[in-house]
C-alpha cells in the first residue's frame, strides 16, 4: 500500500491495518502498524481496512476486499505398480477389480481436506484445460483376459474445490488359474 501527504514526509506517515478474516464483521481480526500486510491467510474472502495518519493528525481510511483461493491440485501419493489376479467367470473367462482407493498411499491436499480418487483405464481421453477426468473414470475398474499381462491406468485425485491431477500406474494382470484358458506353448 502506498500513501503520500503534502505536509508530511512519506517515512513519517503512520500506517495501521485491520484484517477481518472471512469479512463477516465479527473476526477474528489481525492488526498491524505497517503498509505491508503480506502473510499467509486462510482460503476465503477477507477485508482489510487501511488507516493512514499524517503529522497533523489527519486520518484517511480505505477498505479493500481480497480473496484467497485454492488453485493448487492435490498431491497424489500412490503406488506405481499393482497386481490383480483374474478369477474364473463362466462363460466369459476371467475378471478382476481394482479400486482407486487401493492405489492410494498417502495422497493429500495442502489447503482443504481429503482427496477423492478415481481410476481411468485405456483408451485414455485427451487431457484438456481445466484438468478433469473423463466421464469413464470411476471409483473402480474391471480387468479381463484381454488385459493380460499388463495395463496402464490413470489414478485421478480431486481436492474439495475441484482441482484435479493424475498419475499413471502399471497394473500387472495375472491369470494364475488359467481362467482365460491354457496358454499355448511358445514355438522355438
Amino acid at each position: 500500500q502506498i500513501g503520500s501527504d503534502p505536509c508530511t514526509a512519506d517515512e513519517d506517515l503512520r500506517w495501521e491495518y485491520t484484517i477481518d478474516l472471512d469479512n463477516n464483521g465479527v473476526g477474528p481480526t489481525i492488526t498491524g502498524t505497517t503498509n505491508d500486510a503480506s502473510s499467509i491467510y486462510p482460503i476465503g474472502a477477507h477485508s482489510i481496512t487501511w488507516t493512514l495518519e499524517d503529522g497533523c493528525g489527519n486520518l484517511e481510511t480505505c477498505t479493500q476486499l481480497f480473496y484467497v483461493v485454492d488453485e493448487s491440485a492435490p498431491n497424489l501419493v500412490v503406488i506405481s505398480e499393482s497386481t490383480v489376479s483374474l478369477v474364473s467367470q463362466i462363460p466369459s473367462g476371467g475378471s478382476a477389480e481394482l479400486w482407486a482407493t487401493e492405489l492410494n498411499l498417502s495422497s493429500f491436499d495442502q489447503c482443504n481436506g481429503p482427496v477423492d480418487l478415481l481410476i481411468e483405464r485405456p483408451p485414455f481421453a485427451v487431457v484438456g484445460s481445466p484438468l478433469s477426468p473423463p466421464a469413464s473414470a470411476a471409483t473402480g475398474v474391471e480387468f479381463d483376459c484381454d488385459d493380460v499381462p499388463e495395463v496402464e491406468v490413470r489414478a485421478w485425485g480431486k481436492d474439495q474445490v475441484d482441482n484435479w491431477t493424475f498419475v499413471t500406474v502399471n497394473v500387472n494382470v495375472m491369470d494364475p488359474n488359467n481362467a482365460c484358458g491354457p496358454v499355448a506353448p511358445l514355438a522355438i
Side-chain angles (χ1 to χ4, degrees), residues 66-159:
F66 69 97
Y67 302 88
V68 178
V69 296
D70 175 7
E71 294 182 345
S72 299
N75 294 291
L76 288 185
V77 183
V78 299
I79 59 177
S80 60
E81 186 173 72
S82 182
T83 299
V84 296
S85 293
L86 299 177
V87 294
S88 293
Q89 299 293 323
I90 298 175
S92 63
S95 71
E97 294 177 331
L98 180 64
W99 298 97
T101 54
E102 295 177 73
L103 303 175
N104 192 34
L105 290 174
S106 59
S107 298
F108 64 96
D109 185 57
Q110 296 174 344
C111 295
N112 57 23
V115 175
D116 298 326
L117 299 170
L118 295 176
I119 190 169
E120 174 193 9
R121 56 174 291 128
F124 295 128
V126 176
V127 175
S129 179
L131 186 65
S132 65
S136 61
T139 55
V141 295
E142 278 195 28
F143 300 95
D144 60 28
C145 295
D146 293 336
D147 297 314
V148 175
E150 184 178 83
V151 174
E152 193 173 81
V153 299
R154 286 180 179 166
W156 286 87
K158 174 183 77 85
D159 67 14

Side-chain angles (χ1 to χ4, degrees), residues 152-171:
E152 193 173 81
V153 299
R154 286 180 179 166
W156 286 87
K158 174 183 77 85
D159 67 14
Q160 299 305 298
V161 293
D162 291 334
N163 294 312
W164 287 94
T165 191
F166 72 89
V167 295
T168 302
V169 176
N170 281 337
V171 179

Side-chain angles (χ1 to χ4, degrees), residues 42-54:
I43 292 173
H46 313 293
S47 65
I48 183 167
T49 300
W50 299 97
T51 302
L52 180 60
E53 183 178 359
D54 67 13

Side-chain angles (χ1 to χ4, degrees), residues 4-68:
S4 64
D5 183 74
C7 68
T8 306
D10 289 351
E11 63 270 9
D12 293 330
L13 294 172
R14 289 186 298 272
W15 286 92
E16 291 183 5
Y17 66 82
T18 301
I19 297 174
D20 178 4
L21 296 176
D22 298 323
N23 189 35
N24 59 11
V26 296
T29 60
I30 298 171
T31 60
T33 56
T34 179
N35 66 339
D36 184 356
S38 299
S39 188
I40 297 174
Y41 298 104
I43 292 173
H46 313 293
S47 65
I48 183 167
T49 300
W50 299 97
T51 302
L52 180 60
E53 183 178 359
D54 67 13
C56 299
N58 298 311
L59 295 173
E60 189 71 34
T61 63
C62 171
T63 300
Q64 299 170 315
L65 288 176
F66 69 97
Y67 302 88
V68 178

